Amino acid sequence: MALSATEAITSRRSIRAFTDEEVPDELLRTILTDAARAPSGTNIQPWNLIVLRGEARNDLVDAVQAAFDEGDKKSQENYYPTEFVEPYLARRRKIGWDLYGLLGIEKGDYDKMAAQHRKNYEFFGAPVGIFFTLHETMQSGGWMDLGLYMANVMTLAREHGLDTCPQAAWQEFGHVVHEHLELADDQQVIVGLALGYEDTAAVVNTLRTNRVPLEDFVEFRG
Ligand SMILES: Cc1cc2nc3c(=O)[nH]c(=O)nc-3n(C[C@H](O)[C@H](O)[C@H](O)COP(=O)(O)O)c2cc1C
């Protein structure tokens, strides 16, 4: 029985350890096609994807992990705020410490933190790695459209028994991804997505995140 939209959305979690089970090609194409029913301002459909599997995936992973090891990173200045204010700072810290706590990584153990962070750059073992790019002329509207498309991919993945992890981590190595994949000059690497099947034996996947109550972010008037 396929999951309902509510079940697909509420059962989605960011998965940080995958099995090596392949994702059937037809299923992947169906998900990416159906996700494109996402709305976009004036129907511009600005999303572009590069889907990596097999050798293409492994080669990219090797290139970016080498850059990570050399410290060759460049942050995209328009992604995260230059300074996080409350309540966002506390929320951000909580997920970090919850994750490291679960893995037994203590405060100040930068080597272990780096080793965990490095797993981003192998798509946490997922057999499918996706990069989402936008034309360099796109502004925040295009980013919103891309987010809607990506949310559809993650929900549809759940419907079909798959799991995902959206990954902003790749933007630090956007220049390496861009060069390695020989992307057009006018394309900007926005975000990555790991897609595959959850490794249910992995401790990291026992992480559960909270959400603030409705009253904290919705103001009903009238
Ligand atoms: C745009 C975006 C980028 C993210 N980037 C990363 C990332 O680089 N690495 C990672 O482990 N998790 C990443 N996450 C996952 C978030 O940490 C996660 O969504 C959040 O903590 C809530 O947990 P949940 O997805 O399990 O519900 C990202 C999520 C989003 C939406």
Side-chain angles (χ1 to χ4, degrees), residues 93-109:
R93 284 189 171 145
K94 177 168 168 44
I95 168 77
W97 290 122
D98 283 355
L99 182 69
Y100 291 141
L102 198 61
L103 298 171
I105 302 174
E106 288 173 14
K107 278 189 190 179
D109 195 341

